[in-house]
Amino acid sequence: MMASVADHLKTAPQLSLRFIAVWLRNLRVWRKLMLPSLLGNFGEPVLYLLALGYGLGQFVGEVESMPYMVFLASGIVCSAAMTGATFEALYSAYTRLTQQQTWAAMLAAPMNVDDVVLGEIAWAATKALINASAIVLVASVLGLVAGPEALLVLPVILLAGFSFAGIAMIVTAISPSYDFFLYYFTLVMTPMLLLSGVFFPLSGLPDAVGIGAQFLPLAHVVMLVRPLMTGTAVDAPVLHLAVILGYAVGSYWISAALARRRLIR
């Protein structure tokens, strides 16, 4: 008799280093398409940064005692990480799961579902780091980064990538088709992008909305990344890291359980 989702959720994922083989496999494939992939994932956030930063920035002026362009740059870094991890864990992972049957081939090797899911999430987090690093580099060239402490953004982004990828992997594990992803974009990703302080400070939101935004992982990523990039003090860094880590661990646990329920008959 097939185990229920609740049964799988009660079982902790079996962690092993076998997930690295999945990560390496995806890296080798990506290297063949590296240039168009970088252009696609790198071009849009840079366009947002330049268009909104220079265009809207002239009307907005300063936000939180800094030029709007500086304020926006750190938000775009975070949104690029979320977008990169999400698209990889949704479309690319789902294609490997259903269309190409790559997951089935991997499971024929001495590897379990938990290894495959963690490998996919780790690779999606790597894509988030690649995308965000490119934006940090552009921001540095434009003089929008305060100092070398901005390098601390990179490990934060990698951890955040695990969170965003894990959440997206939950959707992949239950999705019957590509069209199902639209629910996630409309109901989760777009509200999170607009209500996490990427484009404007949370202090400008109504109190109830601002409190709700504190439960969004992207908001905590922004609260860590923005001070690191602008050279200001980070408020409650342990809390922000704990929330991001909690989302990363929890989403992996749930996505692994759902994937086991889908693949193990």
Side-chain angles (χ1 to χ4, degrees):
M1 184 175 180
M2 189 163 51
S4 66
V5 174
D7 293 332
H8 284 293
L9 284 172
K10 293 176 184 177
T11 304
Q14 300 177 22
L15 298 177
S16 77
L17 294 179
R18 291 188 297 266
F19 81 91
I20 297 176
V22 180
W23 183 89
L24 287 172
R25 181 264 173 202
N26 291 342
L27 173 64
R28 293 189 185 103
V29 173
W30 176 77
R31 286 172 57 188
K32 300 176 182 178
L33 305 169
M34 182 171 59
L35 288 180
S37 176
L38 286 175
L39 287 175
N41 295 325
F42 169 71
E44 183 177 352
V46 170
L47 182 61
Y48 268 101
L49 175 61
L50 296 178
L52 292 178
Y54 284 119
L56 190 59
Q58 296 187 27
F59 298 96
V60 174
E62 289 194 348
V63 177
E64 296 186 343
S65 302
M66 66 184 76
Y68 182 66
M69 187 75 163
V70 175
F71 177 90
L72 181 64
S74 53
I76 293 296
V77 167
C78 300
S79 66
M82 180 180 71
T83 302
T86 299
F87 273 82
E88 185 66 30
L90 287 179
Y91 289 98
S92 298
Y94 186 77
T95 298
R96 290 189 282 268
L97 169 63
T98 60
Q99 305 301 312
Q100 298 175 347
Q101 293 294 312
T102 306
W103 285 32
M106 291 176 179
L107 293 175
M111 185 175 294
N112 59 39
V113 176
D114 297 342
D115 298 325
V116 176
V117 172
L118 182 56
E120 291 283 2
I121 291 176
W123 170 243
T126 304
K127 287 292 295 292
L129 180 62
I130 293 171
N131 290 1
S133 298
I135 308 303
V136 171
L137 178 60
V138 171
S140 300
V141 172
L142 295 175
L144 306 176
V145 174
E149 61 268 20
L151 291 175
L152 295 175
V153 165
L154 302 183
V156 173
I157 289 298
L158 182 61
L159 177 60
F162 273 90
S163 298
F164 298 132
I167 298 170
M169 192 61 67
I170 293 174
V171 180
T172 296
I174 64 174
S175 180
S177 68
Y178 291 104
D179 294 335
F180 188 80
F181 298 154
L182 293 176
Y183 292 107
Y184 180 69
F185 286 122
T186 302
L187 300 176
V188 178
M189 192 170 173
T190 299
M192 185 157 56
L193 180 64
L194 296 176
L195 301 176
S196 296
V198 172
F199 302 107
F200 48 83
L202 293 178
S203 58
L205 296 173
D207 291 341
V209 179
I211 293 173
Q214 302 299 320
F215 294 92
L216 302 175
L218 181 59
H220 291 274
V221 178
V222 172
M223 291 176 194
L224 280 173
V225 169
R226 180 161 287 139
L228 291 173
M229 289 187 62
T230 58
T232 57
V234 181
D235 185 33
V238 175
L239 171 63
H240 301 318
L241 287 171
V243 172
I244 299 169
L245 180 60
Y247 268 99
V249 174
S251 60
Y252 168 54
W253 189 304
I254 296 171
S255 61
L258 292 172
R260 270 185 258 122
R261 175 67 170 79
R262 179 168 184 158
L263 295 171
I264 299 176
R265 304 296 181 183

